[in-house]
Amino acid sequence: MIDSEETNFEREEEEIAIGTLERYSGSDVSEFQPYLLLTNFPKYVQYFASSRDLPIVEGSMFSVAHSPKEKVSILDFKIGSPAAALIVDLCAHLPIKASLLLGMCGGLRRHYHVGDYFVPVAGIRGEGTSDFYFSQEVPAMANFLVQKAVTNVLMEEGIKYHLGITHTTNKRFWEFNPDFKARLNATRPQAVEMECATLFMASYYHKLPLGALLLISDLPLSPKGIKTKKSAQDVYSKYTAEHVELGIKAIDELDNLLKLEEKGVFRGKRRKFEDQLND
């Protein structure tokens, strides 16, 4: 009886999630490809679509473009940890193999430069949203195989990148908050942004392999390093194409790794922890 009730609940959850995704994205779920690029930036979706002569589909919240040839969909889910949790909760019900975030972050080390790439291995859970998935003792980790594909591509392309921990916050305008900056100093992350820890926790909960390739867009702890309207425009104009194309190459690399039956990616229904222990 309990199993039947759980099955009905899961079926209802899936139906609502699919309906919500179609409404928010304006795209039928059958159009979504095996791999999903997530981004916060409409310009990334616009570049992806225009460079491949694809239409952009606009829903009530998201914009998305699909490339069956490359087996990739790209979706702009907006900004912040609640939006990050929502998109994983919805897309986890699709038969996608893995997802990669193409986002931006503030670099917190003196030797970092705007335009460098940052590959987060984990995120400090400073946003609060991830608490809905797991208690605080569970670390927010990026999927290893997805990040391996990302670093393989960066090395093959000869592109400099940094590895480390990012602090995910739910406060965008923190740069003038001394207490928050003191917290960054105490916890020693290498970058700061607003989505990674949530994405890592939500995807771990849903068993959706997910990683991130971040572009360092500003150096908020440096003098005059805070992002401005002009500097943001400069970053878009210089790095949008490269960032998106690296994401596509990382997806292709991940697809090849999966063909070789590399371990580290598992897609399946969530099960009770007790059942997994008994496997």
Side-chain angles (χ1 to χ4, degrees):
M1 183 64 178
I2 294 178
D3 290 342
S4 178
E5 290 177 354
E6 289 180 349
T7 300
N8 290 335
F9 180 80
E10 290 174 355
R11 186 180 298 115
E12 180 181 8
E13 179 185 1
E14 183 173 296
E15 290 174 356
I16 295 296
I18 288 174
T20 302
L21 179 60
E22 290 183 334
R23 176 161 47 95
Y24 284 179
S25 69
S27 185
D28 191 271
V29 293
S30 63
E31 297 178 89
F32 281 86
Q33 299 302 303
Y35 295 98
L36 179 64
L37 288 175
L38 294 174
T39 185
N40 311 118
F41 313 115
K43 291 181 184 296
Y44 279 30
V45 178
Q46 292 163 8
Y47 167 79
F48 179 85
S50 63
S51 63
R52 289 154 173 81
D53 195 24
L54 299 169
I56 296 176
V57 183
E58 296 277 355
S60 61
M61 183 173 180
F62 309 136
S63 60
V64 60
H66 308 285
S67 176
K69 180 180 179 180
E70 294 166 300
K71 300 189 291 187
V72 173
S73 295
I74 186 169
L75 184 147
D76 167 26
F77 67 95
K78 309 307 178 187
I79 294 175
S81 60
L86 174 62
I87 196 58
V88 175
D89 287 346
L90 300 181
C91 290
H93 296 279
L94 300 178
I96 58 177
K97 295 181 180 179
S99 182
L100 176 67
L101 170 69
L102 300 179
M104 295 187 189
C105 64
L108 302 179
R109 292 294 181 271
R110 294 178 181 176
H111 62 282
Y112 289 0
H113 299 91
V114 171
D116 289 352
Y117 287 98
F118 184 82
V119 181
V121 296
I124 293 175
R125 298 168 58 186
E127 29 54 273
T129 311
S130 59
D131 294 345
F132 284 91
Y133 299 101
F134 292 100
S135 58
Q136 274 289 329
E137 70 225 54
V138 181
M141 305 286 290
N143 180 271
F144 172 78
L145 191 61
V146 178
Q147 300 306 70
K148 179 181 179 182
V150 169
T151 54
N152 283 356
V153 167
L154 292 171
M155 292 176 66
E156 289 168 3
E157 297 291 322
I159 294 176
K160 179 181 179 180
Y161 68 93
H162 309 283
L163 280 170
I165 297 172
T166 182
H167 182 108
T168 304
T169 179
N170 59 2
K171 181 170 175 54
R172 172 61 187 87
F173 203 56
W174 58 264
E175 291 89 343
F176 302 97
N177 186 315
D179 292 337
F180 186 84
K181 289 196 285 187
R183 185 179 178 189
L184 290 179
N185 185 60
T187 55
R188 294 193 291 180
Q190 287 80 30
V192 60
E193 42 65 53
M194 299 184 70
E195 294 87 19
C196 280
T198 310
L199 289 171
F200 297 161
M201 282 282 86
S203 62
Y204 184 57
Y205 176 80
H206 286 290
K207 296 183 178 178
L208 170 60
L210 187 149
L213 172 59
L214 304 180
L215 178 71
I216 296 178
S217 60
D218 59 319
L219 305 168
L221 297 183
S222 301
K224 297 183 180 180
I226 297 174
K227 187 185 298 183
T228 64
K229 180 179 179 180
K230 183 183 183 304
S231 67
Q233 291 173 341
D234 289 343
V235 167
Y236 283 129
S237 64
K238 290 180 182 178
Y239 302 109
T240 293
E242 180 183 72
H243 198 182
V244 173
E245 295 300 339
L246 286 172
I248 298 297
K249 291 177 181 178
I251 291 297
D252 186 59
E253 172 70 7
L254 178 60
D255 193 50
N256 289 331
L257 291 176
L258 291 177
K259 289 176 182 176
L260 297 173
E261 298 184 348
E262 287 270 11
K263 304 299 182 183
V265 168
F266 171 75
R267 286 294 280 127
K269 295 285 188 180
R270 297 191 308 274
R271 293 176 297 163
K272 289 183 177 180
F273 183 59
E274 294 83 359
D275 294 336
Q276 296 176 47
L277 287 177
N278 292 329
D279 283 350

